[in-house]
Amino acid sequence: MAAEPAAPVFEPDAETMPAEPLAALQAERLQGLVSRLLAAGGVQGQRLKEAGISAGADVTLADLARLPVTTKRDLWESYPFGMLAVDRSQVVAVHGSSGTGGKPTLVSYTRGDLKLWARMCARALAAAGATSGSIVHNAYGYGLFTGGIGIHQGAIELGATVVPMSGGMTDRQVTLITDLRPDILTCTPSYAIRIGEALAAAGVTPGRGLSLRAGIFGAEPWTEQMRARLNELLGLRALDIYGLSEIIGPGVASECAAAADGLHVNEDHFLVETLDPATGQPAEDGTGGELVFTTVTKEALPLLRYRTGDVAALRRGSCECGRTLVKMSKITGRIDDMLVIRGVNVYPSEIERVLLGEDGLALDYLLVVDERAAQRQLIACCEVRSGWQFKLPLAGELQARLARALGLTVRVRLVPPGTVPRTEVGKARRIVHWTGGEPPLAGID
Ligand code: DLL
């Protein structure tokens, strides 16, 4: 899709700030954060003291890489309110994510944090081309999950009209998209597929009445191949938004419609580093590394050097939209979801890239890690697009393509449309481990 003219920037002073004043602002805010953590006396303050830091004024931006890190384990160990840097009475909301460890990762917000979060989401909406005249169809889940309420507050902050759909009840989503004619769709990329297919089934397609101009899709990984297919399916510009509850929720970083080639990190509030997963040392710009964020202005739950587990690469330089904020690539994987199959390291996103490059396949797929024998095997279960059965190359050809791209033998199983379980609410599950018993999907062996 052709580049769009740059839309107005929501906070131009901050988002287009030259490097030097930005660094000065970051340094001043980092010192403020260190002072607050020391005063709060929690685990982060304690670690700073152990590292020989007794005042905010002791640190410069260049010291950041030497300061102690924080992890999800710290949040779990202090669950639910142990890491607060303010009195509990100042907390006006909690959110969180279900995570993988059973207990949710719970995060707290002051009134000021909510205001900051709304501004960060308004930045993302404006970067996608939304204005006060926009209608935002928000199909992220509402509740403890940060997607729904985060985008909701951002749309209001921008002065747009928000339609608080939440996830699920796809028929109703179709009705309201048809009747209200929103220009912006916000939801997970997997749910965007669902909505797009339901719209098409109802006869509402890009050429015939579909009003959407941009989609702001995040909360789960997706590839450039998925972007191309979403653009086509929904007739919009599909843009990525990234965030995590621990840092604030959606709005940590987002793409602009002008370039759509990486996510501007709101680094005036969230300092970003990438660490080489092997050594824990800073990764070079342009090289993938674990994203680490420091929240320099958050009040209730400020985090110093929070290790996200998400892998991306940073890129500095100017952007055609005018923003000077550093860009991060799409998330290429998580440190902990790297699959090691017969000694080959592979991220699910690398497999998606190959699968979705094939026109005859639908957007839904499931990777089954077959662990029934000592030698793990990977089975890619791919849905065939309806109407394409006869134009498909053989599964064998896809297998060969995967082998060339990844140096790995992946068994490909083609399954009929509708076989892969759909996610209407929450995050798509793209990987299952098959340790024994019934196959996780009918028709595979
Ligand atoms: O998923 C916040 C969010 C909501 C972001 C809506 C974007 C849109 P959590 O539930 O805490 O927060 O999950 C955070 O989701 O560490 C990543 O692994 C993953 N994630 C979030 N956005 C993206 C993205 C929200 N754009 C975890 N691409 C993060 C890839 C993403 N992964």
Side-chain angles (χ1 to χ4, degrees):
M1 221 173 254
E4 288 205 343
V9 176
F10 183 65
E11 294 186 315
D13 289 352
E15 294 176 74
T16 65
M17 196 181 270
E20 249 176 57
L22 177 60
L25 180 70
Q26 289 174 322
E28 183 193 320
R29 288 181 168 173
L30 177 63
Q31 293 187 343
L33 168 70
V34 168
S35 303
R36 281 183 293 128
L37 291 176
L38 286 166
V43 58
Q44 298 187 86
Q46 194 55 41
R47 286 184 193 147
L48 280 165
K49 280 189 197 141
E50 284 162 16
I53 290 156
S54 54
D58 288 352
V59 299
T60 67
L61 265 192
D63 297 323
L64 184 62
R66 289 192 291 276
L67 298 182
V69 297
T70 320
T71 64
K72 211 182 206 39
R73 175 169 292 280
D74 293 317
L75 288 166
W76 281 336
E77 284 175 358
S78 62
Y79 175 88
F81 289 123
M83 283 177 76
L84 288 188
V86 297
D87 190 77
R88 225 276 303 138
S89 62
Q90 290 183 47
V91 171
V92 297
V94 295
H95 279 279
S97 57
S98 52
T100 46
K103 268 187 196 173
T105 304
L106 204 69
V107 295
S108 298
Y109 299 76
T110 63
R111 206 176 285 282
D113 292 333
L114 287 186
K115 180 83 183 151
L116 170 68
W117 188 18
R119 282 166 46 213
M120 296 303 105
C121 288
R123 284 187 185 182
L125 285 157
T131 64
S132 57
S134 288
I135 298 184
V136 179
H137 183 102
N138 187 18
Y140 282 115
Y142 279 63
L144 211 50
F145 176 56
T146 52
I149 290 178
I151 296 292
H152 184 101
Q153 314 271 15
I156 292 173
E157 183 72 20
L158 186 66
T161 305
V162 63
V163 188
M165 294 303 299
S166 196
M169 292 196 277
T170 307
D171 288 351
R172 207 158 72 171
Q173 310 264 359
V174 168
T175 305
L176 285 185
I177 290 176
T178 312
D179 294 349
L180 300 188
R181 301 187 53 73
D183 50 333
I184 308 286
L185 173 64
T186 55
C187 59
T188 59
S190 53
Y191 195 45
I193 302 169
R194 196 82 313 101
I195 292 178
E197 287 172 347
L199 282 164
V204 187
T205 53
R208 292 179 48 206
L210 194 51
S211 53
L212 296 168
R213 285 198 307 122
I216 308 181
F217 304 136
E220 60 189 26
W222 55 298
T223 57
E224 286 302 327
Q225 284 67 21
M226 179 80 93
R227 190 203 303 272
R229 302 279 289 266
L230 283 170
N231 287 346
E232 178 195 317
L233 179 66
L234 289 157
L236 45 62
R237 205 161 170 74
L239 301 169
D240 202 348
I241 181 165
Y242 168 83
L244 58 166
S245 323
E246 298 91 311
I247 300 305
I248 204 153
V252 173
S254 55
E255 281 184 324
C256 58
D261 69 345
L263 299 84
H264 289 286
V265 180
N266 287 317
E267 56 174 334
D268 49 333
H269 296 283
F270 314 116
L271 309 189
V272 61
E273 305 167 74
T274 44
L275 300 186
D276 180 333
T279 62
Q281 293 305 306
E284 300 270 324
D285 282 357
T287 317
E290 180 182 3
L291 288 169
V292 174
F293 290 100
T294 296
T295 66
V296 283
T297 51
K298 232 173 57 166
E299 296 170 344
L301 186 68
L303 293 175
L304 182 63
R305 304 194 74 215
Y306 184 75
R307 295 186 60 162
T308 62
D310 295 320
V311 178
L314 298 179
R315 180 157 44 94
R316 287 165 220 280
S318 56
C319 179
E320 54 203 272
C321 70
R323 288 176 185 77
T324 49
L325 301 171
V326 63
K327 277 187 190 177
M328 57 178 246
S329 67
K330 277 179 155 302
I331 301 289
T332 51
R334 278 192 58 76
I335 293 210
D336 46 15
D337 77 2
M338 189 179 74
L339 298 167
V340 184
I341 307 288
R342 294 188 302 281
V344 180
N345 299 350
V346 57
Y347 284 113
S349 62
E350 298 177 273
I351 301 172
E352 176 176 307
R353 218 170 287 145
V354 177
L355 297 182
L356 297 193
E358 169 54 59
D359 269 350
L361 294 186
L363 294 166
D364 287 288
Y365 66 91
L366 185 70
L367 304 177
V368 177
V369 186
D370 181 354
E371 296 177 343
R372 290 171 303 160
Q375 283 277 50
R376 305 211 288 173
Q377 292 213 28
L378 198 58
I379 312 173
C381 305
C382 310
E383 271 189 20
V384 177
R385 258 203 222 197
S386 9
W388 279 70
Q389 286 87 332
F390 303 108
K391 298 178 201 158
L392 266 186
L394 294 172
E397 194 175 308
L398 261 175
Q399 250 165 240
R401 217 176 290 165
L402 283 163
R404 275 199 302 278
L406 310 174
L408 179 73
T409 309
V410 180
R411 284 165 58 204
V412 175
R413 288 287 171 273
L414 301 178
V415 295
T419 312
V420 172
R422 272 34 183 176
T423 313
E424 294 225 327
V425 180
K427 305 187 185 214
R429 197 158 159 239
R430 298 285 192 206
I431 307 176
V432 292
H433 293 260
W434 185 11
T435 49
E438 291 295 302
L441 204 65
I444 64 167
D445 49 50

